[in-house]
């Protein structure tokens, strides 16, 4: 069903009008676009974003939609260092009113209404969880559901920290920040397990794979682990 929906939506090219750019600490930027009225997605999904205002190679890259469907914008949050790729240089040159295209949404990295989630973010891998947590505030959670975010950032910059701390104060939602995988593994040990939780991991390949391996070694079944690997980091 998800595959069929993805196959169809991938052909849908949405025109996005650029609104504004926001800079976070640690060379992280959010690019916000007006939300087309007929564009819907499940928080955690990604789009294929195409630069159209200049020729760059490759012109299209996948990015998680970092905003929630409740927001009136499409947000793309990414890290841009001092030596950016052509693609990210083009993002920095966007002016209000200019356009990009987005195909999708695609992907199965989202949480079902019924399940509780343990979300593990590595650095910029926070983007899908920011969208999911913005969408699922306490009014949206059913009483049996809980969400725990474990956000690991070795640089300690923690994009969206203030916002996530606010969301973390709400019933059923816990948010923890840590700077090393050792601390992540300690936090994981402290979490109660019912066996029904789904574990979601997002971030660079090596981080996602090592955390998944760790979870499996502590008895979490593979079927309860969802991974979103940010190729390119
Ligand atoms: C499902 C999915 C979701 C994703 N979601 C996100 C997200 O939410 N946020 C996010 O940031 N990423 C996300 N990614 C990764 C994203 O698609 C990019 O691969 C990533 O951001 C790196 O992009 P880049 O243009 O810097 O990469 P590359 O082109 O691989 O560049 C990497 C580095 O190489 C150097 N470089 C490359 N080209 C040049 C050049 N022409 N001149 C000089 N130096 C150069 C630069 O130092 C650059 O930083 C996602 C990936 C997937 C698969």
């Amino acid at each position: 069903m998800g595959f069929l929906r993805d196959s169809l939506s991938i052909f849908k090219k949405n025109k996005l009008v650029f609104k504004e750019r926001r800079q976070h600490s640690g060379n992280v930027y959010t690019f916000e676009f007006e939300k087309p009225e007929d564009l819907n997605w499940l928080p955690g999904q990604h789009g294929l974003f195409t630069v159209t205002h200049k020729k760059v190679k490759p012109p299209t890259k996948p990015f998680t939609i970092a905003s929630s469907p409740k927001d009136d914008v499409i947000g793309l949050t990414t890290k841009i260092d001092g030596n950016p790729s052509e693609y990210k240089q083009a993002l920095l040159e966007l002016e209000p009113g200019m356009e990009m295209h987005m195909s999708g949404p695609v992907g199965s990295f989202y949480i079902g209404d019924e399940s509780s989630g343990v979300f593990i973010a590595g650095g910029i891998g926070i983007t899908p969880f920011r969208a999911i947590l913005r969408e699922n505030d306490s009014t949206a959670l059913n009483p049996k559901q809980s969400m725990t975010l474990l956000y690991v950032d070795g640089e300690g910059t923690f994009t969206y920290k203030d916002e996530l701390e606010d969301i973390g104060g709400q019933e059923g939602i816990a948010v923890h920040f840590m700077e090393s995988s050792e601390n992540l593994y300690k936090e994981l040990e402290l979490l109660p397990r019912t066996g029904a939780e789904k574990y979601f991991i997002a971030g660079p390949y090596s981080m996602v794979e090592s955390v998944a391996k760790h979870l499996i070694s502590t008895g979490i079944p593979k079927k309860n682990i969802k991974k979103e690997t940010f190729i390119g980091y």
Side-chain angles (χ1 to χ4, degrees), residues 25-230:
S25 56
N27 296 327
V28 176
Y29 295 81
T30 291
F31 298 87
E32 287 187 342
F33 302 84
E34 286 169 20
K35 177 172 160 307
E37 254 178 38
D38 59 344
L39 177 56
N40 288 305
W41 67 98
L42 294 166
Q45 286 193 298
H46 64 277
L48 302 176
F49 288 81
T50 303
V51 168
T52 58
H53 60 278
K54 69 186 280 196
K55 275 207 160 67
V56 297
K57 266 191 184 170
T60 304
K61 293 201 176 196
F63 288 95
T64 302
I65 304 173
S67 47
S68 128
K70 277 185 187 169
D71 297 318
D72 63 351
V73 292
I74 300 290
L76 178 169
T77 298
T78 189
K79 202 164 180 174
I80 308 187
D81 61 23
N83 187 22
S85 62
E86 284 182 24
Y87 185 97
K88 288 191 176 170
Q89 181 56 40
L91 289 184
L92 289 173
E93 291 167 14
L94 282 168
E95 299 281 352
M98 286 165 73
E99 285 176 10
M100 279 186 78
H101 287 162
M102 191 202 93
S103 301
V106 283
S108 58
F109 200 73
Y110 50 79
I111 186 162
D113 291 344
E114 74 297 341
S115 44
S116 287
V118 177
F119 306 144
I120 303 168
I124 196 68
I126 191 61
T127 51
F129 305 125
R130 192 252 177 175
I132 293 171
L133 289 170
R134 271 179 85 76
E135 180 77 0
N136 288 282
D137 55 21
S138 57
T139 52
L141 291 184
N142 72 47
K144 287 190 186 149
Q145 210 181 9
S146 69
M147 293 184 182
T148 304
L149 171 68
L150 305 176
Y151 186 177
V152 191
D153 184 349
E155 292 168 21
T157 43
F158 298 110
T159 306
Y160 293 121
K161 186 166 193 220
D162 292 348
E163 183 184 315
L164 293 167
E165 274 174 342
D166 285 349
I167 296 174
Q170 299 179 24
E171 188 141 0
I173 302 180
V175 173
H176 303 278
F177 301 91
M178 59 218 64
E179 295 190 21
S180 69
S181 49
E182 288 74 31
N183 288 342
L184 167 67
Y185 297 156
K186 280 185 199 150
E187 286 287 344
L188 280 167
E189 262 176 46
L190 299 175
L191 292 184
R193 282 190 191 179
T194 65
E197 300 84 6
K198 300 269 186 269
Y199 290 77
F200 293 73
I201 317 167
Y205 176 80
S206 57
M207 174 266 169
V208 170
E209 288 306 313
S210 58
V211 173
K213 215 168 144 191
H214 174 84
L215 291 175
I216 291 166
S217 76
T218 62
I220 306 293
K222 221 172 174 180
K223 68 175 174 48
N224 286 358
I225 302 174
K226 272 192 176 186
K227 302 188 278 187
E228 190 76 300
T229 302
F230 284 13

